[in-house]
């Protein structure tokens, strides 16, 4: 019988995990605010669109091998060298394809939209930094969490955020960088230095073995496809809004979206702790982890709702932090804040499906919802601009929550039936 998940150690660890992610989130917002003020709405609007493409690319880079690494080293830590080598090879190979494709598409898009304003070398440098280097850096947190070393994982997250903030402070405040091309060079150097530091941290754990684990390719592709589709859906509005609104509006909307992304830490802090426990609880059957998922759901909804209310109240001050040029930020943040509670609902079900190895069901839910949602957001943005996109986002998150829990409950019932048949 699977051991039940006790919420007491989860909540005791939550303070450390949440504190680390909160510190990282604050540092990221500070970085974003410095860039917004230094670059100005037009250049910052371009940066938002480059970041949108990078957000999609980073979900594809590595072909989902990080999830295989996490699940496998929880069960068999001795496989770490093979799993690390598998990840590094797939990150490098996929980035070699992704970066040129994204650079070509983005160069054409930016030229069509605003005229020549950002050269191809700068675009490539931004994509290498935000896809290849960031994916490699994020792998460190996954490794430490899989090994149960949460303090080290927290250190890597906070360290990366602080490194980016320090880079932005030096570039924008000390050296007066005020162009996206200038920031591209600074960001690349800062991320490269931090990636080398991460490599030094991981060295005592063992050297990677250069091998492709064929049995992990399909689960990894299923894992990456669902998040790539989600990233595509999440960023579709930025591109469509950019076709019908000014670049300044795109910048304000992008700031609000980044604030929302940072606010998900309250949910992520719990999920990153619970995921490892879900892997163990569901080992003897998905249905055995269902009661624990219900208890975690209560905590996630409370955290998500509290965060949404707090964001709504703080929205005017968040807008001020980015400057008067971004006067629409307060409106956008208040409108988007409620989506956090809906994300809290579906994230628990989705994480349990992934932890139990049901990547096919998880991919089906997220890919279907995100594929349909991308079209809905594009249509709503075309008809009503940012306001239409916001309404569509609520519909999509609510649909995802309903679909995730219906599939989870159905699979849990099937798991329970199989267990009863085997015992009879």
């Amino acid at each position: 019988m699977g051991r039940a998940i006790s919420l007491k150690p989860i909540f005791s660890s939550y303070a450390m995990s949440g504190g680390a992610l909160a510190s990282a989130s604050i540092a990221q917002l500070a970085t974003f605010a410095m860039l917004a003020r230094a670059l100005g709405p037009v250049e910052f609007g371009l940066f938002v669109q480059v970041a949108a493409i990078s957000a999609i690319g980073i979900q594809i880079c590595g072909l989902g091998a990080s999830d295989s690494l996490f699940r496998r080293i929880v069960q068999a830590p001795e496989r770490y060298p093979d799993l690390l080598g598998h990840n590094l090879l797939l990150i490098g190979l996929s980035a070699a394809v992704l970066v040129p494709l994204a650079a070509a598409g983005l160069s054409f898009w930016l030229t069509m939209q605003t005229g020549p304003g950002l050269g191809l070398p700068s675009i490539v440098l931004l994509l290498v930094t935000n896809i290849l280097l960031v994916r490699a850096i994020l792998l460190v947190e996954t490794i430490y969490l899989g090994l149960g070393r949460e303090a080290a994982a927290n250190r890597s997250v906070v360290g990366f955020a602080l490194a980016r903030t320090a880079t932005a402070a030096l570039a924008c405040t000390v050296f007066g960088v005020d162009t996206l091309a200038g920031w591209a060079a600074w960001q690349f150097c800062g991320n490269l230095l931090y990636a080398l530091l991460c490599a030094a941290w991981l060295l005592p754990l063992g050297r990677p073995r250069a091998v492709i684990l064929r049995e992990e390719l399909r689960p990894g592709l299923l894992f990456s496809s669902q998040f790539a589709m989600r990233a595509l859906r999440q960023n579709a509005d930025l591109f469509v809004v950019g076709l019908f609104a000014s670049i300044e509006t795109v910048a304000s909307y992008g700031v609000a979206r980044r604030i929302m992304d940072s606010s998900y830490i309250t949910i992520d802090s719990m999920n990153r702790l619970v995921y490892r426990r879900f892997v163990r609880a569901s080992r003897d059957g998905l249905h055995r982890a269902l009661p624990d998922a219900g208890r975690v759901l209560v905590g996630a909804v409370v955290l998500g709702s509290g965060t949404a209310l707090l964001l709504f109240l703080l929205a005017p001050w968040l807008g001020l932090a980015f400057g008067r040029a971004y006067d629409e930020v307060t409106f956008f943040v208040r409108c988007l804040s409620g989506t956090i509670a809906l994300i809290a609902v579906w994230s628990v079900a989705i994480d349990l499906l992934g932890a139990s190895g049901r990547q096919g069901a998880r991919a089906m839910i997220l890919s279907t919802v995100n594929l349909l949602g991308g079209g809905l957001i594009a249509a709503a943005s075309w008809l009503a601009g940012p306001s239409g996109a916001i309404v569509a986002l609520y519909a999509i998150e609510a649909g995802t929550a309903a679909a995730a829990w219906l599939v989870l409950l159905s699979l849990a019932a099937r798991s329970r039936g199989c267990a009863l048949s085997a015992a009879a």
Side-chain angles (χ1 to χ4, degrees):
M1 182 177 293
R3 194 175 74 179
I5 296 178
S6 171
L7 291 185
K8 182 177 285 187
I10 291 177
F11 287 132
S12 63
S13 299
Y14 180 82
M16 292 182 61
S17 176
L21 292 186
S23 300
S25 180
I26 292 170
Q28 288 173 8
L29 284 177
T31 303
F32 216 53
M34 282 188 280
L35 289 175
R37 287 177 173 272
L39 298 180
V42 174
E43 291 260 323
F44 190 74
L46 296 178
F47 173 73
V48 165
Q49 295 187 324
V50 174
I53 286 289
S54 300
I56 299 168
I58 199 171
Q59 298 298 340
I60 303 173
C61 187
L63 305 182
S66 61
D67 183 68
S68 296
L69 182 146
F70 186 97
R71 288 185 292 103
R72 295 306 181 193
I73 62 175
V74 169
Q75 300 165 351
E78 68 277 3
R79 297 197 63 191
Y80 168 74
D82 288 344
L83 290 163
L84 179 59
H86 175 72
N87 269 263
L88 294 178
L89 283 174
L90 289 184
I91 288 173
L93 291 172
S94 57
V97 176
L98 284 169
V99 170
L101 289 176
L106 193 56
S107 179
F108 171 76
W109 176 265
L110 295 180
T111 300
M112 180 184 69
Q113 191 178 25
T114 64
L118 188 62
L120 184 60
S122 296
I123 292 175
V124 170
L125 205 56
L126 284 167
L127 292 172
V128 168
T129 303
N130 291 302
I131 296 178
L132 174 61
L133 291 181
V134 171
R135 171 49 64 195
I137 290 169
L138 293 179
L139 187 63
V140 178
E141 179 193 7
T142 303
I143 291 169
Y144 282 136
L145 286 174
L147 294 173
R149 298 174 59 175
E150 292 166 4
N154 293 338
R155 179 189 65 184
S156 70
V157 172
V158 175
F160 186 33
L162 292 178
R164 284 186 287 187
T165 303
T167 303
L170 280 173
C172 301
T173 305
V174 179
F175 289 92
V177 171
D178 58 1
T179 64
L180 187 52
W183 170 244
W186 274 89
Q187 188 186 35
F188 173 78
C189 293
N191 282 19
L192 180 60
L193 288 174
Y194 194 78
L196 294 174
L197 178 61
C198 288
W201 283 345
L202 292 180
L203 198 56
L205 298 178
R207 295 180 181 276
R209 188 175 294 122
V211 60
I212 297 291
L213 304 175
R214 294 185 180 181
E215 69 276 12
E216 296 297 339
L217 289 176
R218 184 176 181 275
L221 287 170
L222 287 171
F223 179 84
S224 66
S225 66
Q226 53 198 274
F227 287 99
M229 290 299 296
R230 183 187 175 196
L232 180 61
R233 185 263 293 173
Q234 286 181 322
N235 291 283
D237 51 343
L238 287 170
F239 292 106
V240 180
V241 168
L243 289 175
F244 303 102
S246 67
I247 195 69
E248 290 84 1
T249 297
V250 173
S252 291
Y253 188 70
V255 166
R257 288 290 306 279
R258 179 55 66 93
I259 291 172
M260 298 305 301
D261 290 343
S262 298
S263 70
Y264 299 150
I265 60 164
T266 55
I267 308 303
D268 291 340
S269 298
M270 176 168 284
N271 289 347
R272 72 202 290 259
L273 297 174
V274 170
Y275 195 86
R276 192 168 189 267
R277 293 171 171 85
F278 275 166
V279 171
R280 292 176 174 174
S282 61
R283 186 177 299 171
D284 298 324
L286 177 62
H287 64 287
R288 297 189 183 279
L290 199 58
D292 300 312
R295 289 191 288 271
V296 173
L297 175 63
V298 173
V301 170
V302 170
L303 289 169
S305 301
T307 303
L309 178 60
L310 185 63
L311 268 180
F312 187 88
L313 296 174
L314 293 178
W317 287 271
L318 292 172
L320 288 174
F322 288 86
R324 294 183 178 180
Y326 304 89
D327 54 355
E328 296 177 280
V329 169
T330 298
F331 169 76
F332 289 140
V333 169
R334 282 187 160 172
C335 289
L336 290 168
S337 60
T339 60
I340 301 174
L342 294 173
I343 291 172
V345 173
W346 64 251
S347 67
V348 177
I350 288 295
D351 276 357
L352 179 51
L353 288 172
S356 64
R358 288 164 173 80
Q359 296 294 353
R362 177 170 160 162
M364 178 194 69
I365 296 166
L366 292 180
S367 297
T368 301
V369 170
N370 289 325
L371 183 63
L372 296 175
L376 178 60
I377 286 177
S381 300
W382 178 69
L383 290 172
S387 297
I390 290 168
V391 173
L393 284 171
Y394 275 92
I396 292 165
E397 302 301 358
T400 305
W405 278 99
L406 285 173
V407 171
L408 175 63
L409 292 173
S410 175
L411 291 176
R414 188 182 304 174
S415 172
R416 185 180 293 106
C418 292
L420 291 173
S421 299

